[in-house]
Amino acid sequence: MNENYRCRIVMSKLPDFEGLAMFGKVAEEGSFAAAATAMGVSVATVSRAVTRLEERLGGRLFNRTSRRLALTDYGRSLAERAAKIYADAEEAEDVARETSSRPRGLVKLAAPLSFGTRWVAPLLPEFFRTYPDISVDLHLTDAHADLIGDGFDAALRIAIMEDSSLVARLIAPVRRFVVASPTYLSRYGRPQHPHDLGAHQCLTYVNRNKRDVWRFTHKNGEECTVTPTGALRGTSVEALLPTVLAGLAITELPEFVATQYFPDKQLEPVLTDWRMPEGGLYFVTPTARARPAKVSALADFFISKLTAAEWSAEKLMGWKPPGHGRK
């Protein structure tokens, strides 16, 4: 059998929902003109739909004259069910609109492991108290989450954002620090130039897109690139910190981790006349168009809570990076 013909046969078995709904509205309003006005369509559209339905069903639904419109006995037997189809459709759309505009439902959110543990998870109790109809699937990973391919609604991402099809809203800047413990520095010396790092144990990450490279810019504008080497590479900050805190190595840390170790001098920033590329904390979604209310609520909440950047070295210690304001 021809495939197109088969498709037409299948389609013809579907009820004429539009025709039934429009017929039900005409029967309810008592005229084609009143029904057309109520539905926001033309009288001709309503008339064609009812005529099509009559031809499909094989019976007249209305007796029409120039002055009067009356249901036939056949039409009267169908009118109540048809009017219910229209009412049910209206109710379904109203529920759908309310669901899309009122924050409720499940949000699948990705966030970096260290940042999510330290700064995202502690905020969730307040979020759930504010939005009791929203639930969150929180995926904490330092691997790059594919929002579209893995079906995420949103992500908190710490990065230097490049052009992409994603929609990213900057929440706060995030600097990076090269750090070491006082024990390490007293034992092995403090590097004065990035090139000095070649003589030091430098712990790096295995989840970078390319081999880990540290890029520095001096406050006088000089630039330097270093490929660090060391005894350990890890997938997360947590994997590297014990070795660094034990005084056995140097590493680079994001600001939201490093600054918690500065006040009691468990770690110290080194190469303080140099700065590494500044990234940012972003709320990222696949698209901004027709964003569900549940995602907008989550975005607004995290933006309101994290924009102040409680981890900021400048806020905690009044420390500004070299070449502050330089891009």
Side-chain angles (χ1 to χ4, degrees):
M1 182 183 292
N2 182 276
E3 187 65 28
N4 291 334
Y5 180 66
R6 184 186 296 116
C7 289
R8 284 197 297 273
I9 291 177
V10 173
M11 290 298 292
S12 70
K13 292 181 179 179
L14 290 174
D16 185 356
F17 292 108
E18 181 186 61
L20 287 165
M22 288 191 172
F23 160 64
K25 197 64 175 174
V26 173
E28 181 181 298
E29 297 290 339
S31 77
F32 282 81
T37 299
M39 291 184 289
V41 298
S42 68
V43 174
T45 297
V46 178
S47 180
R48 282 195 299 269
V50 172
T51 299
R52 183 181 69 241
L53 183 64
E54 288 179 324
E55 291 173 353
R56 179 187 177 94
L57 298 178
R60 293 181 62 186
L61 299 170
F62 292 104
N63 288 317
R64 304 173 178 86
T65 68
S66 58
R67 297 182 179 179
R68 189 167 178 268
L69 180 73
L71 285 165
T72 63
D73 289 341
Y74 179 61
R76 192 173 294 108
S77 68
L78 183 62
E80 184 176 345
R81 290 190 179 92
K84 188 175 187 303
I85 289 172
Y86 185 87
D88 287 346
E90 278 192 318
E91 182 181 357
E93 287 196 352
D94 288 343
V95 170
R97 289 191 190 97
E98 182 182 3
T99 299
S100 66
S101 62
R102 185 175 56 162
R104 64 184 302 168
L106 174 66
V107 179
K108 188 177 179 182
L109 176 71
L113 176 61
S114 301
F115 185 82
T117 302
R118 174 68 180 84
W119 295 101
V120 176
L123 291 175
L124 289 178
E126 180 180 351
F127 177 79
F128 292 135
R129 284 193 293 267
T130 305
Y131 298 101
D133 294 328
I134 297 179
S135 56
V136 176
D137 275 359
L138 180 60
H139 295 249
L140 298 182
T141 174
D142 285 331
H144 188 80
D146 181 355
L147 266 65
I148 297 173
D150 293 333
F152 284 99
D153 296 295
L156 287 165
R157 187 165 287 175
I158 296 171
I160 300 173
M161 292 297 295
E162 300 175 353
D163 292 338
S164 72
S165 60
L166 303 177
V167 178
R169 182 170 175 181
L170 177 64
I171 299 177
V174 179
R175 305 181 183 101
R176 304 195 73 85
F177 293 86
V178 176
V179 300
S181 72
T183 300
Y184 181 92
L185 296 174
S186 65
R187 183 179 302 165
Y188 300 107
R190 182 183 295 269
Q192 301 299 316
H193 190 282
H195 289 314
D196 297 341
L197 294 172
H200 289 267
Q201 284 285 329
C202 297
L203 309 190
T204 59
Y205 300 93
V206 298
N207 58 356
R208 299 282 167 85
N209 292 333
K210 300 177 182 178
R211 183 168 178 81
D212 209 1
V213 174
W214 295 355
R215 294 179 173 83
F216 297 88
T217 302
H218 194 269
K219 60 184 180 182
N220 65 12
E222 179 188 353
E223 295 183 350
C224 182
T225 300
V226 175
T227 301
T229 58
L232 175 66
R233 299 177 70 212
T235 58
S236 68
V237 168
E238 285 74 18
L240 306 183
L241 268 172
T243 301
V244 177
L245 290 168
L248 300 176
I250 290 175
T251 195
E252 58 101 352
L253 297 176
E255 187 173 14
F256 63 83
V257 174
T259 53
Q260 64 185 298
Y261 297 100
F262 289 169
D264 60 4
K265 298 190 181 301
Q266 286 182 274
L267 295 175
E268 296 180 19
V270 300
L271 298 171
T272 54
D273 287 338
W274 299 77
R275 63 182 178 88
M276 304 186 81
E278 182 178 297
L281 169 65
Y282 294 86
F283 191 90
V284 183
T285 54
T287 177
R289 184 175 59 183
R291 177 186 290 173
K294 61 186 180 180
V295 177
S296 293
L298 192 66
D300 292 343
F301 177 82
F302 281 127
I303 289 167
S304 69
K305 296 298 179 182
L306 297 173
T307 298
E310 295 295 329
W311 60 81
S312 166
E314 185 174 346
K315 183 171 183 177
L316 289 173
M317 297 171 289
W319 186 87
K320 292 186 179 182
H324 184 70
R326 197 189 282 265
K327 296 294 184 183

